[in-house]
Amino acid sequence: MIGNCLENVRKNVPLVHNITNYVTVNDVANVLLACGGSPIMSDEPDDVADITSICGGLNINIGTLNKNSIEGMFIAGKKANELSHKILLDPVGAGASKLRTDTAVKLAKEIKFDVIRGNISEIKTLALGSGTTKGVDADVSDAVTEENLDNAVAFVKDYAKKSGCVIAITGAIDLVSDGEKCYVIRNGRPEMSKITGTGCQLSGMTTAFIVANPDNVLEATAAAVCTMGLAGEIAFANMAETDGNSTYRNRIIDAIYNMDAETLEKGAKYELR
Amino acid sequence: MIGNCLENVRKNVPLVHNITNYVTVNDVANVLLACGGSPIMSDEPDDVADITSICGGLNINIGTLNKNSIEGMFIAGKKANELSHKILLDPVGAGASKLRTDTAVKLAKEIKFDVIRGNISEIKTLALGSGTTKGVDADVSDAVTEENLDNAVAFVKDYAKKSGCVIAITGAIDLVSDGEKCYVIRNGRPEMSKITGTGCQLSGMTTAFIVANPDNVLEATAAAVCTMGLAGEIAFANMAETDGNSTYRNRIIDAIYNMDAETLEKGAKYELR
Amino acid sequence: MIGNCLENVRKNVPLVHNITNYVTVNDVANVLLACGGSPIMSDEPDDVADITSICGGLNINIGTLNKNSIEGMFIAGKKANELSHKILLDPVGAGASKLRTDTAVKLAKEIKFDVIRGNISEIKTLALGSGTTKGVDADVSDAVTEENLDNAVAFVKDYAKKSGCVIAITGAIDLVSDGEKCYVIRNGRPEMSKITGTGCQLSGMTTAFIVANPDNVLEATAAAVCTMGLAGEIAFANMAETDGNSTYRNRIIDAIYNMDAETLEKGAKYELR
């Protein structure tokens, strides 16, 4: 089933509108192409309504927000809601500044998202309406571990129920819940945290997955998370001795490009709680 | 002769001012360095006139336009015209939104371009003053094929004549015309469409080629198109089994870096119509 | 001792706030991760004070400045000064336009920097309050060579004394001075100039080094310069025949990722004047 979700992306070639940060935008575009989607980027308020109208989904990432792009996010989000397009929010750095927290909270309030994906600190900030994060990384004290897993699962289910959308918390252990069920995913490698933007890439890819699997958003999100983690494992196995984080970045995108449904189905490591 | 055009770039090291999108800007800079040029990026209205004045050419790409950068495009374009610098327009996504279409049409009207390079849908939009594109990709129904090639050649010659500049339409088959002659180019690989920004890269490189070959804009543009396509073929031949679109991107730039006039001369696949 | 500086970065994982250009920002982020730091990017005036407050250091790079980000630079710089954070200025293209020269001069006047890093033309522009550069590259007539080394050392010492901060001039020969001592560094490869943004990457990395070695800014800056140059040498030795500037870029970041204190200590080529 997880494998089918990837197949549907390759079959449908979903066009995804990204309002995203300028740090990792190129990798987001190449990951979208690697998984079978098609990216377009636009953040200008006068441009976003037209652009989102021709797309199937919208990926909003606040990583390098500014006054102009924030305006674009609300216009695009409302238009995408009108058109019943799939929408994802990546609240990068929510908790790290008032502007980021306020923007993420306001977006979550005024726009109906299908998926919100972030690290545990960002999602806690959203759930509480305030919080602290260590820059764009999760606070160590927040990290989901085998020890606090039960509590974390309860938290994500609760917030998914309250927010009415699928919540994906990614880290060493990933959690994806729609309020009823929770995927606990153990794919990935710790070295992925030494590459900028694996989270942003995952958000872009997840948007393509939910557009291509519109009636199955929970599983499509879990499938995207497994794809990213498994690609990290495959890419790591392909690393030569002198390779480092820059080559690792390329090899992960390459692994997504070469991933097929069978490989994903076999390599996905998850349990349902 | 095609090979000479590349040699002239390496000899003259043309400095190219790029007002381009933030998605593919890093690759545009590295491709310009790979082919022997030198890049500088600036889009702030208060900065662009000075920057373009010290350059030999200007590359305007509307891929992630905003109100501020649009103002910069017109200021830079007019200054570059005053100084008789070479100028290229890449109308990314013209047809996909009113803002993009209007901006591209207005740029083409108010600034004298030496070359306009885009996919068939973007160029049709410009020629008609309106149109539709599938995001930043050409509409499939527009694609230049062996079957509709005669019509496409007639169209590009006609639009080149009307617009008074060299028109380059790139896709599976590339067309480059000055209104009299038309290069029909069959270099390249279909896998290049799975990398974000090969078009943007080509526009940057083409600007360097026309600056370094000022009296031979048609052939210089064709040479740049052949260089990109041939690099795609060479890079593809160098791909390992686990490589994907991210590594392919690097290998294409690498192939341009290592390209010499003789390789280009031998590998270029074109006919003149 | 140079080696210890790198070890301290890996131990302390300094969080660095970057207001930098959109051309090379992804590489800056990955280099910061490669050397052991942690990057966050933010240029919006309403966001930067909060973001810089949670960081240890601030890296200001004017490579693609605009009115909004310039405002952000002054707000962030003043807040970082208030908090006694380490701050670095990279005056990209100072001398190439009035806006860049004026902005760099004003930043150097109103904000207390710990390090200013640029090419010789940019630093001369800052020292004189005006100047000319060939785009973002140093003017050939300015280049530091074995022949004019004594004069260049005298210049950098003098400007470091006057400005009250460590000055790093990078090129074929690198000079790092606090006004009393001057490191003359001969690491690196000429091929590094064929990659966009090695200077920007070095500025980001240097900020991490001075945050992690707060009482030893001169040596920490020299250590960062040696790390970049040595990584360029190691990466070049790892190049295959078909590799070019794009792969070289990746291999340099990889070499930083894999660098340890001992390798740096042995490979650093410098003398003190």
Side-chain angles (χ1 to χ4, degrees), chain B residues 170-174 185-193 198 202 224-237 248 252 267-270:
Chain B
T170 55
I173 301 173
D174 309 308
I185 301 172
R186 290 185 179 82
N187 285 108
R189 295 276 325 174
E191 292 81 1
M192 296 173 82
S193 67
T198 49
L202 175 54
V225 173
C226 291
T227 300
M228 192 78 206
L230 182 58
E233 297 170 24
I234 294 170
F236 192 79
Y248 190 32
I252 290 174
K269 300 189 195 100
Y270 62 88

Side-chain angles (χ1 to χ4, degrees), chain B residues 1-16 32 35-38 205-217 219-221 223 227 259-262 264-265:
Chain B
M1 296 280 277
I2 289 275
N4 288 348
C5 292
L6 172 60
E7 255 172 13
N8 287 335
V9 178
R10 301 211 187 275
K11 217 180 300 170
N12 298 323
V13 194
L15 186 55
V16 175
L32 272 163
C35 76
S38 180
M205 184 159 66
T206 302
T207 312
F209 271 68
I210 62 176
V211 173
N213 297 278
D215 303 324
N216 214 355
V217 171
E219 190 175 37
T221 302
T227 300
M259 183 99 57
D260 58 27
E262 201 190 328
L264 176 57
E265 198 68 49

Side-chain angles (χ1 to χ4, degrees), chain C residues 119-237:
Chain C
N119 67 41
I120 178 72
S121 300
E122 291 159 349
I123 300 296
K124 278 192 171 173
T125 296
L126 263 187
L128 299 170
S130 67
T132 60
T133 60
K134 188 186 165 264
V136 290
D137 295 323
D139 207 307
V140 176
S141 64
D142 286 336
V144 177
T145 61
E146 299 295 348
E147 285 66 42
N148 65 19
L149 187 55
D150 289 346
N151 283 340
V153 168
F155 164 73
V156 70
K157 281 189 175 177
D158 183 58
Y159 182 50
K161 207 170 290 175
K162 278 182 188 149
S163 63
C165 65
V166 168
I167 302 297
I169 296 174
T170 55
I173 303 173
D174 309 308
L175 305 176
V176 179
S177 177
D178 63 354
E180 299 297 326
K181 291 190 277 186
C182 181
Y183 283 83
V184 177
I185 301 171
R186 291 185 178 80
N187 285 109
R189 295 276 324 175
E191 292 81 3
M192 295 173 82
S193 67
K194 293 294 177 193
I195 303 169
T196 192
T198 49
C200 305
Q201 292 173 36
L202 176 54
S203 289
M205 184 159 67
T206 301
T207 312
F209 271 68
I210 61 176
V211 173
N213 298 277
D215 302 325
N216 214 355
V217 170
L218 176 67
E219 191 175 36
T221 302
V225 173
C226 291
T227 300
M228 192 77 206
L230 182 58
E233 298 170 24
I234 294 169
F236 191 80

Side-chain angles (χ1 to χ4, degrees), chain B residues 11-30:
Chain B
K11 217 180 300 170
N12 298 323
V13 194
L15 186 55
V16 175
H17 175 197
N18 301 274
I19 304 183
T20 188
N21 67 75
Y22 57 78
V23 185
T24 64
V25 59
N26 184 267
D27 292 331
V28 170
N30 275 326

Side-chain angles (χ1 to χ4, degrees), chain A residues 132-152:
Chain A
T132 59
T133 60
K134 187 187 166 263
V136 289
D137 295 323
D139 208 305
V140 175
S141 64
D142 286 336
V144 178
T145 61
E146 299 295 348
E147 285 67 39
N148 64 20
L149 186 55
D150 289 346
N151 284 339

Side-chain angles (χ1 to χ4, degrees), chain A residues 2-271:
Chain A
I2 288 277
N4 287 347
C5 292
L6 172 59
E7 255 172 12
N8 287 335
V9 178
R10 301 212 186 273
K11 217 178 299 170
N12 297 323
V13 195
L15 186 55
V16 175
H17 175 198
N18 301 275
I19 303 182
T20 188
N21 67 75
Y22 57 78
V23 185
T24 64
V25 59
N26 185 267
D27 292 331
V28 170
N30 276 325
V31 161
L32 273 164
L33 288 161
C35 75
S38 180
I40 185 163
M41 277 65 180
S42 165
D43 57 22
E44 163 58 38
D46 290 352
D47 196 46
V48 292
D50 280 2
I51 293 298
T52 224
S53 297
I54 59 168
C55 292
L58 172 63
N59 168 32
I60 296 181
N61 173 309
I62 65 168
T64 53
L65 78 187
N66 61 48
K67 284 187 250 333
N68 203 54
S69 65
I70 291 172
E71 194 188 336
M73 292 171 194
F74 283 94
I75 294 172
K78 283 167 187 179
K79 173 58 83 176
N81 270 168
E82 257 178 63
L83 299 168
S84 300
H85 289 181
K86 297 294 176 198
I87 321 183
L88 179 145
L89 173 64
D90 186 338
V92 181
S97 75
K98 188 173 182 329
L99 182 66
R100 288 168 190 250
T101 303
D102 290 354
T103 302
V105 168
K106 198 171 172 224
L107 283 165
K109 206 168 152 185
E110 298 189 12
I111 292 162
K112 169 82 193 75
F113 289 97
D114 295 281
V115 178
I116 301 178
R117 191 217 65 83
N119 66 42
I120 177 72
S121 300
E122 291 159 351
I123 300 297
K124 279 193 171 173
T125 296
L126 264 187
L128 299 170
S130 67
T132 59
T133 60
K134 187 187 166 263
V136 289
D137 295 323
D139 208 305
V140 175
S141 64
D142 286 336
V144 178
T145 61
E146 299 295 348
E147 285 67 39
N148 64 20
L149 186 55
D150 289 346
N151 284 339
V153 168
F155 163 73
V156 70
K157 281 189 176 178
D158 182 59
Y159 182 51
K161 207 170 291 177
K162 278 181 188 150
S163 63
C165 65
V166 168
I167 302 296
I169 296 174
T170 55
I173 303 172
D174 309 308
L175 306 176
V176 179
S177 177
D178 63 353
E180 299 298 325
K181 289 191 278 185
C182 181
Y183 283 84
V184 177
I185 300 171
R186 291 186 178 80
N187 285 108
R189 294 276 324 174
E191 291 81 3
M192 296 173 82
S193 67
K194 292 295 177 192
I195 302 169
T196 192
T198 49
C200 305
Q201 291 172 36
L202 175 54
S203 289
M205 185 160 65
T206 301
T207 312
F209 272 67
I210 61 176
V211 174
N213 297 278
D215 302 325
N216 214 354
V217 171
L218 176 68
E219 190 176 36
T221 303
V225 173
C226 291
T227 301
M228 192 77 207
L230 181 58
E233 297 170 25
I234 293 169
F236 191 80
N238 291 336
M239 295 277 276
E241 206 192 334
T242 57
D243 289 348
N245 62 330
S246 189
T247 293
Y248 190 33
R249 177 259 308 264
N250 293 312
R251 287 192 190 278
I252 290 173
I253 301 176
D254 287 353
I256 293 169
Y257 183 86
N258 288 311
M259 183 98 58
D260 58 27
E262 200 190 329
T263 307
L264 176 57
E265 197 68 48
K266 275 190 194 161
K269 299 191 195 98
Y270 62 89
E271 52 167 327

